[in-house]
Amino acid sequence: MPQESPKQRIVKVAVPCPLYKTFDYSLPPAKNQPIVAGMRVRVPFGRQKLIGIIIEEVFTSDVPANKLKPVISVLDKDNLLSADILKLLLWAARYYVHPLGEVMQTALPVYLRNSDDATPVLTEYWRVKKQRLSVAEKQTHDETLASLKRAPKQLQLYQILHNTEDGLDAEALNSLTENWRAPARVLQEKQLVETYVKPALLQQDNCNSAAPALNDEQTSAINAIETHQHQHAVHVVNGITGSGKTEVYLALCQSALSDDKQILIMVPEIGLTPQLTERFLDRLNTSVVILHSAMNDRQRYAAWHAAANGQARLIIGTRSSIFTPMPEIGLIIIDEEHDGSYKQQDGFRYNARDLAILRAKNKGIPVVLGSATPSLETLNNINEQRYHVHYLKQRANRKPLPKIELVNLCSQKLHEGLAETLLQKIRQHLDQQGQVLLFINRRGFAPLLMCHDCGWTTNCLRCDAHMTFHKRRNQLHCHHCGSQRPAPDHCDECGSSEVVAIGVGTERIEHFLQERFSDTSVSRIDRDTTRNKGSLQDKLEKAHSGESGILVGTQMLAKGHDFPNITLVCVLDTDQALFSADFRASEHLAQLITQVSGRAGRAEKPGEVLIQTHHPDHPLLQTLLHHGYQAFAQTALHERQAAGLPPARHLVLLRCESVEVNAAQNFLQQAVEKARQVSLDDIDLFGPIPAPMERRAGRYRYQVMLQSKQRKALHRFISWWAPQLQQLVSARKVRWSIDVDPYDTF
Ligand code: ADP
Ligand code: ZN
Ligand code: ZN
């Protein structure tokens, strides 16, 4: 064959920028190396030099050859994003109508977004030296410690480290204290502190926990799932709390591991469920990595790397772990599949549960969704026989489910929002050595302060919302935009000093109960009391040991904890959700009541659940109480059908916000006009309408909603529409985004 002159090599690159396209670059002959999609390249982009991902190599381009800019450098010898992950991301960019470059950026560990070098480097941590000391050594050690009194900087650093479980890295230390390196070295010389490297791979040396003998329901779920072990299917393990779902996961993992497969387990929030990770480590003799957002960039990349090269066999992670390359993936498990945290609520707004199902389908492997309270989407898929369902209807310990009762608040005397009858019940349970859990989904002392003389309220200056009063800090916080200011002792309007706290939050309940039940220790578990590292762990331990008799908490407490001694669970605020503008509010309420109820009476003593409401006859509560979550969900599905809401119909939201009220409305108006230029068969378009919270963080917010029964028609339309919107001049003055399958409409 005649030798052809070497063709110009061109690569299509996804560059992190908000445009719906890829960019072509030439590959200089000097960089004569094999190119694989998924490699990173550094490329000139405007005045910047950005890291992009090669999508494919081509030999022609619409850009004239002399205009093509050359790649600056190819950063990787091999593809960092595997072919199956690339395929998933390309699909996701199309489905969620999001710029590919940003989609790729989301999927890459932060470390790889910035660093040319892809070699994982572990961070050094400082911690108090762990050592066994002889009596004599102990004495010297104590003397050295005592001498720190004369070195305040060292003492301070020592105390900071002493208060942590695993020590701190430089980044964390920098945020806590200045000029710590010199004293740290001295402490190191004094043998008081040491540095170490946290391994990415976790593995228990001897797994000493043995599986219990599984019951019939568990066995048949496992058998049914394993019959289709090597083909794609979506399995739903619908098991009540305490029915032994985790044991089913463990058994499935064991077979997948013995089959030399890698496993991905997705959980809502790792920080909230340390017990789960422990259970997997305790039982499975394999190498595990954890992936969650609280890890530092290097640590997280090291874990990602171990999954991508096959060293880690079990990956436990939150939402974004769905994008981790795993060459031998054979099973995906999504725990608490109904949880809202699987949906990313800004930027690239994907749903990790839905992408997990697609990933499993592409790979031809099973995916298991577990929940006591499956989402209506999942139940609809079961109804339509797209998913296989396996029920676990009994608690594994055969204890009966707790009795649920409504407490009618109408014309009852209330103490800080708590009914007298409820307080009597709490006394009863405490007297019988039971533990009590009270659940209210509002942090702070009170949702607002109000002037008793003129009615003035503490409003946020930047949002259409009240500012929450936090008593201990004597501050007002806006839970929507984060603004804070000192709590006023006088009314801003009339100067009156009669400023009173209206409504209740966790802090207020905690105060009141601690006074009322002074013989018991009350523990509050919410984002405010668990901000410090280790404090959640500490509070959970005290809850377990029974040291805290009463637990007051937000939905943090509803998730996956197993407190054996809890005999009474109280849900304090249901009425808000019964009449909310959010179309998922009633689903969330039913899930919450069912989940927190599962916390009662798990061990020896029988449990009781009390739900406070002004509307005891509300059909939702009646159905839930008398017929259970399944019956509630079927009713709710019918309602969604009638209202044309998901899952009956598909929803897309075009959101827009701007500091100028007209700018946001103009943009949406033009967007609607654009839309009307084409035929919108099968699609209903509503808007622009104000968002339920019209102003947030100083921005005015409006939206346009699209509804359709035909997903294809809807997608065909929005993939045409989105690039058009980008061209609009009015788009430059606003922030806009498209949300496909929105989680809420706020
Ligand atoms: P879920 O994940 O459904 O809430 P778990 O798997 O955590 O349930 O099980 C609840 C409790 O019951 C755990 O303490 C677990 O060890 C125990 N358990 C699970 N299955 C069995 C079984 N077959 N026999 C005895 N105990 C079991
Ligand atoms: Zn006033
Ligand atoms: Zn605000």
Side-chain angles (χ1 to χ4, degrees):
M1 270 210 297
Q3 277 278 311
E4 279 185 38
S5 63
K7 276 186 188 155
Q8 164 88 299
R9 293 179 75 184
I10 300 167
V11 282
K12 287 197 174 298
V13 178
V15 182
C17 75
L19 295 174
Y20 291 102
K21 55 184 289 206
T22 54
F23 295 85
D24 294 352
Y25 289 91
S26 63
L27 205 63
K31 305 213 170 1
N32 191 11
Q33 64 187 89
I35 288 295
V36 187
M39 285 178 170
R40 295 174 312 144
V41 280
R42 209 170 257 286
V43 292
F45 194 77
R47 257 172 279 159
Q48 293 165 285
K49 292 171 180 162
L50 299 179
I51 293 182
I53 304 276
I54 296 178
I55 299 301
E56 58 177 331
E57 180 171 1
V58 290
F59 292 95
T60 58
S61 170
D62 294 340
V63 183
N66 56 353
K67 289 264 169 66
L68 271 181
K69 292 202 181 127
V71 162
I72 299 167
S73 54
V74 180
L75 300 179
D76 306 316
K77 293 208 170 54
D78 214 334
N79 56 333
L80 281 187
L81 292 178
S82 54
D84 62 325
I85 293 296
L86 269 186
K87 183 174 170 186
L88 185 71
L89 292 169
L90 286 165
W91 184 91
R94 272 199 307 276
Y95 183 84
Y96 293 105
V97 199
H98 198 83
L100 186 62
E102 290 187 352
V103 168
M104 297 285 160
Q105 181 88 346
T106 310
L108 270 191
V110 177
Y111 185 78
L112 291 183
R113 296 178 205 166
N114 308 314
S115 162
D116 283 12
D117 186 1
T119 324
V121 199
L122 283 172
T123 327
E124 205 177 49
Y125 280 72
W126 292 82
R127 69 176 170 202
V128 167
K129 190 164 176 146
K130 296 196 171 170
Q131 47 195 344
R132 274 217 191 98
L133 300 172
S134 68
V135 180
E137 284 166 339
K138 175 97 172 54
Q139 196 178 349
T140 332
H141 175 263
D142 290 350
E143 280 164 10
T144 323
L145 253 187
S147 73
L148 291 186
K149 276 204 206 84
R150 293 187 298 274
K153 195 74 202 162
Q154 290 171 34
L155 182 63
Q156 185 210 7
L157 184 65
Y158 184 83
Q159 280 166 344
I160 289 175
L161 293 176
H162 193 71
N163 285 334
T164 63
E165 208 152 304
D166 315 331
L168 299 166
D169 62 356
E171 200 181 321
L173 279 166
N174 283 336
S175 72
L176 290 170
T177 174
E178 290 175 332
N179 303 327
W180 54 271
R181 282 192 191 270
R185 299 236 182 284
V186 181
L187 287 174
Q188 193 174 23
E189 279 159 24
K190 292 182 180 170
Q191 305 282 322
L192 291 175
V193 306
E194 63 186 356
T195 59
Y196 78 108
V197 169
K198 258 191 211 178
L201 283 179
L202 308 174
Q203 181 153 17
Q204 206 95 311
D205 290 339
N206 38 11
C207 299
N208 35 20
S209 107
L214 299 177
N215 62 35
D216 290 350
E217 287 182 328
Q218 288 169 318
T219 313
S220 66
I222 294 163
N223 287 344
I225 297 169
E226 288 188 341
T227 345
H228 306 284
Q229 205 172 3
H230 301 291
Q231 67 198 59
H232 174 63
V234 185
H235 296 277
V236 180
V237 177
N238 184 349
I240 63 170
T241 33
S243 60
K245 291 184 291 296
T246 313
E247 288 299 335
V248 172
Y249 305 158
L250 284 162
L252 295 173
C253 288
Q254 217 125 35
S255 345
L257 288 173
S258 57
D259 227 18
D260 285 333
K261 298 290 187 203
Q262 283 178 294
I263 303 159
L264 174 62
I265 300 184
M266 301 219 295
V267 295
E269 273 174 86
I270 295 207
L272 298 184
T273 47
Q275 294 168 12
L276 186 89
T277 311
E278 290 292 311
R279 259 172 95 180
F280 279 86
L281 274 172
D282 258 3
R283 183 71 63 76
L284 303 170
N285 183 20
T286 192
S287 47
V288 177
V289 293
I290 313 283
L291 286 164
H292 62 92
S293 52
M295 296 163 86
N296 74 36
D297 295 348
R298 289 178 171 197
Q299 211 72 26
R300 199 181 150 94
Y301 174 52
W304 187 93
H305 190 260
N309 71 15
Q311 261 183 305
R313 309 307 296 176
L314 182 72
I315 285 78
I316 304 181
T318 46
R319 180 173 62 227
S320 65
S321 63
I322 187 56
F323 302 120
T324 316
M326 295 168 58
E328 287 148 343
I329 191 168
L331 173 66
I332 304 179
I333 295 173
I334 304 162
D335 193 25
E336 311 287 2
E337 68 84 27
H338 62 277
D339 196 277
S341 72
Y342 289 123
K343 172 78 194 232
Q344 166 99 16
Q345 304 271 32
D346 54 21
F348 167 36
R349 296 162 188 260
Y350 63 96
N351 184 318
R353 173 197 62 201
D354 297 346
L355 288 181
I357 292 169
L358 183 77
R359 182 170 178 181
K361 184 169 170 220
N362 288 343
K363 268 275 170 183
I365 61 171
V367 52
V368 176
L369 315 184
S371 177
T373 53
S375 62
L376 295 190
E377 276 80 0
T378 293
L379 287 173
N380 188 51
N381 280 317
I382 294 172
N383 286 349
E384 300 192 346
Q385 300 189 345
R386 280 192 286 268
Y387 296 176
H388 307 270
V389 63
H390 314 280
Y391 295 103
L392 307 180
K393 296 186 172 167
Q394 284 189 19
R395 281 185 163 182
N397 58 12
R398 296 177 183 278
K399 294 284 177 301
L401 274 178
K403 193 169 70 175
I404 307 185
E405 267 180 274
L406 297 176
V407 176
N408 187 352
L409 290 178
C410 294
S411 30
Q412 269 225 50
K413 180 163 166 41
L414 297 184
H415 310 260
E416 308 288 34
L418 303 174
E420 180 62 39
T421 42
L422 187 111
L423 292 169
Q424 286 165 9
K425 273 277 189 225
I426 295 180
R427 179 80 270 165
Q428 247 177 32
H429 279 261
L430 291 177
D431 287 347
Q432 290 162 7
Q433 267 68 56
Q435 256 177 320
V436 180
L437 188 159
L438 290 98
F439 179 85
I440 177 164
N441 218 356
R442 207 183 292 124
R443 8 184 221 111
F445 188 82
L448 67 152
L449 296 177
M450 186 189 269
C451 170
H452 189 53
D453 288 325
C454 76
W456 170 81
T457 53
T458 49
N459 295 342
C460 177
L461 302 175
R462 309 171 68 215
C463 306
D464 291 332
H466 294 304
M467 288 185 91
T468 307
F469 175 47
H470 289 253
K471 187 167 183 169
R472 216 168 58 86
R473 301 168 171 224
N474 198 33
Q475 271 187 331
L476 297 174
H477 288 199
C478 174
H479 291 179
H480 302 285
C481 71
S483 313
Q484 303 188 1
R485 59 176 198 256
D489 43 15
H490 287 85
C491 169
D492 274 8
E493 286 288 323
C494 74
S496 160
S497 58
E498 286 285 295
V499 179
V500 290
I502 305 288
V504 292
T506 46
E507 193 186 355
R508 190 169 199 168
I509 306 258
E510 176 202 23
H511 268 248
F512 172 72
L513 292 176
Q514 191 59 80
E515 258 171 41
R516 172 100 179 205
F517 302 102
S518 49
D519 54 334
T520 315
S521 150
V522 180
S523 167
R524 166 158 62 105
I525 302 188
D526 59 22
R527 261 201 289 141
D528 297 318
T529 62
T530 55
R531 208 152 283 169
N532 294 337
K533 234 183 164 166
S535 54
L536 176 65
Q537 197 68 30
D538 189 46
K539 279 177 176 285
L540 292 177
E541 271 160 30
K542 288 193 173 131
H544 271 272
S545 68
E547 195 179 323
S548 317
I550 300 180
L551 309 176
V552 180
T554 55
Q555 61 182 345
M556 278 177 88
L557 267 184
K559 294 184 184 171
H561 306 293
D562 195 357
F563 304 119
N565 258 322
I566 290 198
T567 54
L568 176 64
V569 171
C570 309
V571 182
L572 303 183
D573 57 342
T574 45
D575 293 353
Q576 224 183 354
L578 290 177
F579 302 99
S580 166
D582 175 9
F583 75 91
R584 288 188 208 270
S586 64
E587 176 185 351
H588 291 164
L589 177 64
Q591 286 165 345
L592 186 87
I593 290 178
T594 313
Q595 297 274 350
V596 294
S597 302
R599 309 277 148 246
R602 288 188 90 154
E604 292 315 311
K605 302 171 195 161
E608 243 184 306
V609 178
L610 296 178
I611 297 169
Q612 293 200 138
T613 176
H614 282 96
H615 304 274
D617 296 328
H618 195 287
L620 157 66
L621 292 176
Q622 287 299 325
T623 312
L624 188 62
L625 256 57
H626 297 295
H627 307 285
Y629 180 80
Q630 297 292 339
F632 154 79
Q634 297 305 336
T635 317
L637 271 176
H638 284 298
E639 279 173 12
R640 295 268 185 94
Q641 195 112 38
L645 288 166
R649 303 183 83 199
H650 307 290
L651 217 59
V652 170
L653 217 55
L654 170 62
R655 289 195 176 87
C656 180
E657 55 176 50
S658 158
V659 283
E660 278 174 68
V661 66
N662 290 333
Q665 282 173 328
N666 274 348
F667 168 76
L668 289 181
Q669 203 56 55
Q670 288 182 12
V672 170
E673 277 159 27
K674 263 271 170 255
R676 302 271 182 225
Q677 289 171 7
V678 293
S679 71
L680 285 179
D681 297 342
D682 304 319
I683 300 173
D684 293 326
L685 183 152
F686 305 95
I689 45 167
M693 184 181 293
E694 191 168 343
R695 202 168 53 106
R696 188 162 77 188
R699 293 171 176 275
Y700 293 89
R701 309 158 70 234
Y702 296 86
Q703 55 199 27
V704 167
M705 191 192 280
L706 302 167
Q707 278 185 335
S708 180
K709 217 165 164 45
Q710 311 295 333
R711 193 183 274 294
K712 279 223 170 83
L714 195 55
H715 266 92
R716 208 174 305 124
F717 170 68
I718 53 174
S719 42
W720 168 80
W721 201 35
Q724 305 278 324
L725 299 181
Q726 212 156 48
Q727 306 292 323
L728 293 176
V729 180
S730 56
R732 290 184 207 149
K733 290 191 188 158
V734 299
R735 281 193 202 157
W736 63 276
S737 62
I738 285 182
D739 196 349
V740 177
D741 306 332
Y743 190 68
D744 58 43
T745 54
F746 274 69

